[in-house]
């Protein structure tokens, strides 16, 4: 039986206090034996019985000392409760001898002996109250043996003064019990306060440790991040300066420019990885589950990494599967891409396998990425999931990555409701695996590859852009104009409503999140949507663009399925997102006109009501990076 922590602490304290009094009790009982023997000595009644009784008393006292020595020397011999019970047994034996010995007083011809013996017993009872009163078991096994025989014997005399003495003794017995009860309560409160204080101190120490660890991790994070960001910046600075060198040939200039582009790309990639992680941490990343064929996703990621694997002479084997999963294909693709890119990077010979293991489980299965690469030592299995941690890259050579892939994968898998597992040993390859839920064939709305094929063209689309920053408005307008869109710009909500009032009906509204005068893009979009709805234009595509990561409102918008793009937004991502949103809007319009049984249509800018429908995929794309 497991004791609660308070009871255990009480027991431990009880053992300490009970046994601490024993040496004093040892001398007290020898004194009691000496006094009792002295007062009976002139005329010992029933000598053999008397010797047996006091011999037993002396033996019990020696036994009590032996128990005390055992407890001191071998505290682990019994549990705290065990020591308490042993102490109670010792008390019962020790106090029964002087208690029962009062019988000799009533056998003696000396009239004052019962009184003298009773005084001795009351003194001993006082000692029991002081040393055992805080434990019910020890108190209630000692006191009755000490006082009951005396009360009974005095009553038995049927004389007035002895009956009064018996009543006083009985009253004393009750009073001492009541006092012991409050004594025990007080003891429990004191122990509880001590335990609470101890817990508080321990939890404070733990919190301090966690805070120190977090601070250390942050310091490591910033040290690694600033190093990895500084490197390409430093290179770009030097290369840019060398462009001023008039003595350099055009070929050298071209080479320098090539290096600059390479470093800018590296910088961009690192930024995207850091932002990706920040987005995952801030909780704005949406999970939108679709029913889809896992083989399609495997083929998609496989085709990305097959050329890289082949270039290193590695075979990339994808296990055929007919499994339909219910998961977020975009997040899953990012997980697999990261794992496959690592598998290719850290494998020099052999093969890489991608597959799913179901083992007859109805709920789903485990996706596995295996490689025959260098493997990871057991001691590093936890650290590799820390940001910027790399097993063997002390020079922090950017060509060997930045140590952000696995932390991202771990968070993505957790966001999808699973746990990333790793089996790996140096020279024996690695296996990363995580669970996926089984889906239903009836829930598949479109093939993943159809979604990726690109949506309707941007040509001829009308776009309303809302941003309080003129340079961004200008940049957006010229980009969209290059794509064949007709664009109107507005600095705020009022200006946007004025554009609508002039009869401009947009196909899409792009809005910055932070607008002037403490207005947000969400408020502006809501006003624009309402104005368009009043004019009979429903389902216009809206898209928020933000540089914020962790505002509560953004998290709420993400949960509702409002499309949000996070800065920096590359032109390719903006175009792909817009095309997908338009494609989805058209699909929705088609469905509204001819509803298919068993499917509900989901409004583009409202909450995602049916995760099985493609709006989810379109919205998800709005948060996906172009680069993994
Ligand atoms: P990166 O690969 O960019 O360095 P990751 O976070 O993806 O960062 O990986 C962290 C570390 O884990 C890597 O530096 C590498 O040492 C180790 N690692 C990851 N995947 C594998 C793998 N498949 N085989 C061996 N080592 C790996």
């Amino acid at each position: 039986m497991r004791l609660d922590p308070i009871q255990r602490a009480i027991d431990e304290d009880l053992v300490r206090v009970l046994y601490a009094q024993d040496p004093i009790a040892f001398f007290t009982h020898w004194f009691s034996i000496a006094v009792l023997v002295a007062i009976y000595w002139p005329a010992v009644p029933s000598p053999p019985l008397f010797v047996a009784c006091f011999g037993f008393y002396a033996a019990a006292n020696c036994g009590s000392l032996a128990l005390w020595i055992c407890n001191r020397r071998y505290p682990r011999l019994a549990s705290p409760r065990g020591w308490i019970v042993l102490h109670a047994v010792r008390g019962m034996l020790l106090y029964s001898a002087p208690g029962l010995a009062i019988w000799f007083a009533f056998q003696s011809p000396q009239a004052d002996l019962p009184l003298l013996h009773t005084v001795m017993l009351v003194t001993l009872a006082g000692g029991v109250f002081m040393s055992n009163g805080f434990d019910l078991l020890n108190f209630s096994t000692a006191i009755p043996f000490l006082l009951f025989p005396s009360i009974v014997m005095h009553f038995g005399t049927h004389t007035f003064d002895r009956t009064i003495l018996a009543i006083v003794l009985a009253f004393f017995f009750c009073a001492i019990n009541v006092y012991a009860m409050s004594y025990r309560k007080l003891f429990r409160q004191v122990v509880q306060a001590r335990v609470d204080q101890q817990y508080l101190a321990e939890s404070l120490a733990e919190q301090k440790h966690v805070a120190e660890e977090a601070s250390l991790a942050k310091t490591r994070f910033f040290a690694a991040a600033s190093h990895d960001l500084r490197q390409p910046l430093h290179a770009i600075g030097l290369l840019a300066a060398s462009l001023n060198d008039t003595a350099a040939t055009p070929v050298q200039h071209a080479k320098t420019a090539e290096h600059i582009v390479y470093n800018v790309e590296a910088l961009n990639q690192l930024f995207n990885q850091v932002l990706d992680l920040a987005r995952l941490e801030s909780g704005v990343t949406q999970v939108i589950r679709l029913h889809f064929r896992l083989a399609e996703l495997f083929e998609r990621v496989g085709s990305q990494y097959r050329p890289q694997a082949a270039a290193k002479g590695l075979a990339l084997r994808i296990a055929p599967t007919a499994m339909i999963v219910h998961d977020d294909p975009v997040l899953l693709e990012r997980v697999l891409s990261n794992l496959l890119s690592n598998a290719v990077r850290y494998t020099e010979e052999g093969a890489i396998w991608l597959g799913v293991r179901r083992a007859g489980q109805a709920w789903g299965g485990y996706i596995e990425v295996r490689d025959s690469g260098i493997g990871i030592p057991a001691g590093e299995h936890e650290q590799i999931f820390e940001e910027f941690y790399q097993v063997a890259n002390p020079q922090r050579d950017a060509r060997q990555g930045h140590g952000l892939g696995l932390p991202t994968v771990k968070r993505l898998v957790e966001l999808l409701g699973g746990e990333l597992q790793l089996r790996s040993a140096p020279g024996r390859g690695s296996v990363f695996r995580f669970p996926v839920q089984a889906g239903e064939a009836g829930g598949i709305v479109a093939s993943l590859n159809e979604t990726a094929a690109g949506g309707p063209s941007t040509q001829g689309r009308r776009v309303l852009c809302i941003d309080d920053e003129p340079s961004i408005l200008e940049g957006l307008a010229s980009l969209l104009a290059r794509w064949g869109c007709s664009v109107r710009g507005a600095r705020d909500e009022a200006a946007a409503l004025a554009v609508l009032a002039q009869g401009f009906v947009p196909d899409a509204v792009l809005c910055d999140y932070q607008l002037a005068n403490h207005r947000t893009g969400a408020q502006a979009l809501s006003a624009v949507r309402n104005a368009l709805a009043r004019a009979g234009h429903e389902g216009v595509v809206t898209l928020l663009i933000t540089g914020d990561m962790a505002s509560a409102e953004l998290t709420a918008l993400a949960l509702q399925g409002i499309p949000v793009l996070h800065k920096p937004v590359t032109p390719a991502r903006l175009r792909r997102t817009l095309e997908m949103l338009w494609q989805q809007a058209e699909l929705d319009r088609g469905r509204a006109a001819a509803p298919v049984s068993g499917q509900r249509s989901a409004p583009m800018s409202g909450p995602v009501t049916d995760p099985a429908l493609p709006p989810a995929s379109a919205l998800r794309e709005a948060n996906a990076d172009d680069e993994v």
Side-chain angles (χ1 to χ4, degrees):
M1 186 185 66
R2 280 182 65 97
L3 292 174
D4 72 90
I6 298 281
Q7 188 57 50
R8 197 176 166 85
I10 288 178
D11 283 357
E12 283 167 0
D13 278 15
L14 271 179
V15 172
R16 259 194 298 277
V17 181
L18 284 173
Y19 283 85
Q21 321 272 354
D22 282 358
I24 306 168
F26 182 67
F27 289 109
T28 309
H29 285 290
W30 278 124
F31 177 71
S32 153
I33 291 170
V35 170
L36 287 172
V37 169
I39 60 173
Y40 283 101
W41 196 250
V44 176
S46 314
L49 217 55
F50 186 87
V51 171
C53 177
F54 279 86
F56 176 77
Y57 190 8
N61 199 19
C62 292
S64 155
L65 183 70
L67 183 69
W68 177 79
I69 293 171
C70 266
N71 171 267
R72 281 286 145 134
R73 291 221 165 162
Y74 315 107
R76 307 232 161 266
L77 211 62
S79 65
R81 192 88 310 250
W83 285 117
I84 292 169
V85 172
L86 283 173
H87 198 268
V89 173
R90 152 262 182 217
M92 203 167 65
L93 300 176
L94 194 58
Y95 290 100
S96 59
L100 292 168
I102 196 150
W103 179 81
F104 297 111
F106 287 89
Q107 302 306 309
S108 168
Q110 290 173 263
D112 55 347
L113 267 187
L115 266 184
L116 280 174
H117 197 117
T118 305
V119 169
M120 195 69 212
L121 293 181
V122 169
T123 313
L124 285 177
V128 173
F129 173 76
M130 298 299 291
S131 58
N132 292 242
F134 32 75
D135 178 50
L136 180 64
L137 185 67
N138 275 268
F139 187 69
S140 56
T141 46
I143 285 287
F145 280 97
L146 210 52
L147 295 181
F148 271 1
S150 172
I151 295 171
V152 172
M153 297 294 291
H154 282 296
F155 257 125
T157 57
H158 300 301
T159 60
F160 178 73
D161 52 347
R162 290 297 162 84
T163 307
I164 293 292
L165 183 60
I167 291 171
V168 170
L169 276 178
F171 180 76
F172 173 69
F173 175 79
C174 294
I176 207 171
N177 265 292
V178 171
Y179 280 122
M181 225 149 69
S182 50
Y183 198 20
R184 284 195 294 277
K185 202 168 150 195
L186 189 69
F187 184 78
R188 196 182 169 90
Q189 281 170 353
V190 169
V191 176
Q192 183 142 10
R194 184 185 64 73
V195 172
D196 285 351
Q197 215 165 13
Q198 194 176 326
Y199 276 178
L200 197 69
E202 279 169 12
S203 87
L204 275 179
E206 202 174 308
Q207 280 171 19
K208 187 168 167 256
H209 179 71
V210 169
E212 280 169 359
E213 282 285 303
S215 158
L216 260 177
K218 210 182 243 183
T219 309
R220 278 200 301 269
F221 181 96
F222 282 119
S226 71
H227 172 274
D228 287 13
L229 288 169
R230 232 180 267 256
Q231 280 297 93
L233 273 178
H234 178 64
I236 291 166
L238 293 178
L239 290 164
S242 73
L243 283 178
N244 287 333
D245 183 2
T246 44
T249 64
V251 178
Q252 282 168 325
H253 274 312
K255 200 122 198 102
T256 307
E258 204 178 293
H259 284 312
I260 290 176
V261 170
Y262 169 81
N263 277 290
V264 168
E265 270 169 14
L267 207 54
N268 192 28
Q269 191 179 349
L270 179 57
F271 258 120
N272 279 325
Q273 282 187 314
V274 174
L275 288 175
D276 221 18
L277 255 179
R279 232 174 273 159
L280 279 168
E281 296 256 311
S282 65
V284 294
T285 306
Q286 294 158 272
V287 176
I288 293 158
R289 295 183 197 277
L290 306 177
H291 297 266
F292 62 93
R293 288 181 207 288
L294 191 56
E296 285 177 10
L297 183 65
F298 279 1
E299 209 30 67
R300 208 155 123 162
V301 280
S303 60
Q304 277 174 43
Y305 289 96
R306 211 168 266 119
Q308 287 180 30
K312 285 182 85 176
L314 304 169
L316 174 54
R317 302 208 173 102
I318 298 178
T321 173
M323 185 177 175
I324 289 156
V325 293
H326 184 221
D327 220 311
D328 186 318
V330 178
L331 298 186
L332 211 53
E333 184 173 340
R334 282 158 75 188
V335 169
L336 292 180
S337 295
N338 272 295
L339 292 178
L340 282 178
S341 113
N342 275 351
V344 173
R345 186 184 299 165
Y346 299 108
T347 305
E348 292 312 320
E349 56 183 33
I352 293 154
W353 295 268
L354 171 63
V356 63
R357 275 183 199 280
R358 294 209 64 179
Q361 294 159 74
W363 60 266
Y366 285 92
I367 292 186
E368 282 190 1
V369 178
R370 289 168 168 265
D371 64 59
S372 58
I374 56 171
I376 305 160
E380 313 268 3
H381 282 197
E382 277 188 18
Q383 277 125 304
I384 52 167
F385 295 105
E386 287 170 15
E387 293 87 358
F388 288 105
Y389 188 86
Q390 294 183 294
V391 176
N393 187 10
Q395 275 78 40
R396 299 210 62 78
D397 177 359
R399 281 164 303 186
Q400 295 178 45
H402 299 282
L404 289 172
L406 287 181
T408 307
V409 168
K410 186 169 183 278
R411 280 177 183 75
L412 281 170
V413 171
E414 284 167 359
L415 190 66
L416 292 172
E419 189 197 349
L420 185 65
Q421 296 169 4
L422 163 66
R423 229 173 39 240
S424 182
R428 302 184 61 184
S430 308
V431 184
F432 287 89
R433 71 176 213 158
F434 57 92
V436 270
Q437 253 181 57
E440 293 159 20
I444 300 175
V445 180
S447 127
L448 291 185
N449 298 333
E450 270 172 42
T451 323
S457 155
T458 49
Q459 192 67 39
R461 299 276 182 179
R462 291 175 306 274
V463 183
L464 171 61
C465 301
I466 311 171
D467 201 310
D468 55 349
E469 180 60 52
S471 58
I472 293 185
L473 216 48
E474 218 170 278
L476 264 179
S478 78
L479 181 70
L480 289 160
R482 276 210 307 278
W483 295 343
C485 300
S486 130
V487 189
R488 296 291 295 271
R491 299 279 298 275
D492 53 26
E493 189 181 311
L497 292 175
V499 171
L500 298 186
Q502 289 162 15
F504 185 80
V505 180
D507 294 304
V509 185
L510 305 187
C511 188
D512 185 32
Y513 183 66
Q514 294 285 0
L515 296 177
N517 303 325
H518 305 294
R519 299 291 288 169
T520 67
Q523 291 166 325
L525 281 184
S526 159
V528 166
R529 262 201 307 268
N530 288 341
L532 285 168
R534 279 196 298 276
H537 306 291
E538 299 274 2
V540 171
V541 161
T542 54
L543 184 58
L544 266 178
I545 300 176
T546 179
D548 285 18
M549 277 295 165
S551 98
E553 200 180 345
L554 269 180
T555 313
L557 290 173
L559 287 174
Q560 290 168 41
I562 307 283
V564 179
L565 271 182
H566 290 269
K567 292 176 188 173
V569 181
T570 59
R573 191 194 305 177
L574 178 63
R575 184 168 183 154
R576 189 170 59 162
T577 307
L578 277 173
E579 284 176 350
M580 297 201 106
L581 290 171
W582 279 323
Q583 183 189 30
Q584 185 50 50
E586 272 161 30
L587 256 170
D588 281 346
R589 272 195 285 275
R591 275 205 201 105
V596 181
S597 74
Q599 290 178 352
R600 282 181 287 133
S601 103
M604 258 333 285
S605 31
V608 181
T609 51
D610 188 344
L613 296 171
S617 88
L619 301 187
R620 219 27 252 101
E621 286 293 331
N623 269 343
D625 272 348
D626 295 336
E627 314 81 359
V628 176

